[in-house]
Amino acid sequence: MYFPKRPTFNPSGLLVGLCFLSLVSISTFWHLQRNDSYSWWWTISVKNTSDPPEHEHMTPSVSSIRNKDGGMWTVNSLGRLGNQMGEYATLYGLAKLNGHQAYILPAMHQKLAPIFKLTLPMIPSELVDKIPWRKYHLHDWMSEEYRHIEGKYVQLTGTPCSYTFYDHLRHEIRQEFAFHDYIKEDANRYLLQVRGQRKTVTYIGVHVRRGDYITVMPNTWKGVVADKSYLDKAMNYFREKYHDAVFVVASNGMAWCKENMDASRGDVYFAGDGQESSPERDFALIAHCNHTIMTIGTFGIWASYLAGGETVYLANYTLPDSPFLKLFKPSAAFLPEWIGIPADLSPLLPKS
């Protein structure tokens, strides 16, 4: 009987084969990474932005994102709380309008996720610089061309803060900025203390923006900040309308507020330390009130937007030739139903 000869094992041949397969794999991977069209399929794990903050002693869940050339839109992460909220809401509105999935950068996640129950996923930091972003700059109000922005990998830039980008989605935006439970509980606890033995209370949140604006507004923008007269008028409006009104004041200039706001009736409560060391707490307090008095700045705009109710704001606080009006359109920043009280511009006028 014939038995075929058993093949002889050749180690060198196996080694050559393995090397060849390795080279093919490396070449393919490099090609996919460098492919400018990004028509490759990838799977990454990202932290769910709706997870509670770490100090709530809960382990964050992880969600998986799978993208097959579906693209992604994001927005730059600039400024403090109010600016970041404006950028997030604008991204949410424009991405949906243009039919793309929105993602936020790690810096924005770090700023907003500890405060709000966001739903937009975060781009992992190791992926951000590998994406061929098309930068698209926005001014502060909605324009027709923003309905037709081209590109699968778009990064919106600028610091937009205008309801014209997202107010048609008002309910969804307010849901995006729903506070974590521990923040709501803290705000409600404080407001309950303010109520005391009163049978009924109408809470009026007051945000007084001072700080660097005291010098920046007159010296750079030909404008003013809120003065005593404005706050008296705004508070008297609510006092006359609501017999049970109480005012909860948050400010980065609390010493000035205590000297210039009429607290003689026992209906004014100065919250926080006046240094903005806990801006999220100050913000939550104002946003949990029934109505709002704001001065200037995106912090007050967003607190008013989330609170709902009536809002009184400082109107016409710059001279007509202010360069600020080239960047900021008041009619696109303050909702039509809000009540404007004109500022006193006399400090900006030449002395006669």
Side-chain angles (χ1 to χ4, degrees):
M1 182 178 292
Y2 171 75
F3 293 95
K5 185 176 181 182
R6 186 176 183 180
T8 303
F9 175 69
N10 187 347
S12 59
L14 178 61
L15 182 60
V16 171
L18 289 174
C19 290
F20 176 76
L21 289 174
S22 298
L23 287 172
V24 170
S25 298
I26 293 172
S27 176
T28 302
F29 176 78
W30 177 253
H31 173 73
L32 292 175
Q33 290 287 81
R34 298 295 296 173
N35 189 346
D36 290 337
S37 69
Y38 261 64
S39 58
W40 40 272
W41 182 91
W42 48 269
T43 302
I44 56 174
S45 294
V46 296
K47 182 177 180 180
N48 191 329
T49 54
S50 64
D51 294 332
E54 294 178 0
H55 52 266
E56 286 195 81
H57 306 293
M58 297 183 68
T59 303
S61 62
V62 174
S63 63
S64 178
I65 295 179
R66 296 186 178 184
N67 187 339
K68 188 171 183 179
D69 201 23
M72 56 169 52
W73 278 32
T74 191
V75 67
N76 55 205
S77 177
L78 299 176
R80 300 193 296 178
L81 180 59
N83 291 123
Q84 301 260 353
M85 292 177 69
E87 293 154 17
Y88 183 103
T90 300
L91 167 67
Y92 188 97
L94 289 185
K96 179 167 287 193
L97 186 64
N98 285 270
H100 290 278
Q101 173 63 47
Y103 300 78
I104 59 174
L105 297 175
M108 181 170 286
H109 177 273
Q110 183 178 12
K111 187 74 175 181
L112 299 181
I115 307 172
F116 305 111
K117 298 179 180 180
L118 310 177
T119 66
L120 295 186
M122 182 189 75
I123 307 172
S125 55
E126 63 270 18
L127 188 63
V128 173
D129 293 334
K130 296 179 181 179
I131 298 173
W133 298 112
R134 180 198 176 200
K135 301 292 182 69
Y136 192 98
H137 186 73
L138 303 172
H139 48 231
D140 273 8
W141 54 90
M142 181 67 182
S143 293
E144 180 61 30
E145 61 265 29
Y146 297 163
R147 300 178 182 275
H148 312 285
I149 300 174
E150 296 183 357
K152 289 184 176 180
Y153 296 91
V154 172
Q155 183 177 118
L156 304 173
T157 65
T159 54
C161 183
S162 170
Y163 69 88
T164 57
F165 289 107
Y166 47 77
D167 195 49
H168 60 291
L169 302 170
R170 185 180 299 193
H171 177 72
E172 292 181 40
I173 295 300
R174 283 179 170 166
Q175 285 296 110
E176 289 298 310
F177 294 134
F179 292 95
H180 286 298
D181 292 344
Y182 83 98
I183 294 180
K184 289 193 297 185
E185 291 166 1
D186 182 64
N188 288 327
R189 189 180 304 112
Y190 181 88
L191 294 177
L192 189 61
Q193 292 174 356
V194 167
R195 177 173 180 169
Q197 300 302 313
R198 298 177 177 88
K199 292 183 179 180
T200 61
V201 171
T202 300
Y203 295 101
I204 315 298
V206 185
H207 180 249
V208 182
R209 178 73 161 88
R210 291 184 63 78
D212 59 334
Y213 274 25
I214 298 173
T215 56
V216 170
M217 287 308 299
N219 296 334
T220 303
W221 301 119
K222 297 183 180 181
V224 297
V225 295
D227 59 7
K228 182 180 186 303
S229 175
Y230 164 74
L231 290 171
D232 286 343
K233 293 175 183 177
M235 294 171 72
N236 287 336
Y237 168 81
F238 284 109
R239 281 176 172 142
E240 292 174 5
K241 189 165 186 177
Y242 303 101
H243 72 280
D244 58 352
V246 297
F247 301 89
V248 178
V249 182
S251 175
N252 59 349
M254 195 64 82
W256 182 92
C257 292
K258 291 179 178 180
E259 292 177 5
N260 290 275
M261 297 181 70
D262 180 12
S264 62
R265 307 186 192 190
D267 59 357
V268 179
Y269 295 83
F270 299 102
D273 58 7
Q275 303 299 320
E276 295 183 314
S277 58
S278 299
E280 68 281 355
R281 182 177 186 272
D282 292 348
F283 184 84
L285 283 176
I286 304 301
H288 277 80
C289 290
N290 302 110
H291 309 289
T292 314
I293 295 172
M294 61 163 291
T295 53
I296 55 178
T298 56
F299 187 103
I301 289 175
W302 272 109
S304 302
Y305 193 83
L306 296 188
E310 293 184 82
T311 294
V312 172
Y313 68 94
L314 185 68
N316 304 321
Y317 53 83
T318 66
L319 293 175
D321 61 344
S322 167
F324 188 66
L325 297 179
K326 297 179 180 179
L327 306 173
F328 179 80
K329 185 181 291 187
S331 62
F334 307 119
L335 290 170
E337 62 266 29
W338 290 0
I339 303 165
I341 296 179
D344 176 11
L345 298 177
S346 61
L348 301 174
L349 302 177
K351 304 297 182 181
S352 57

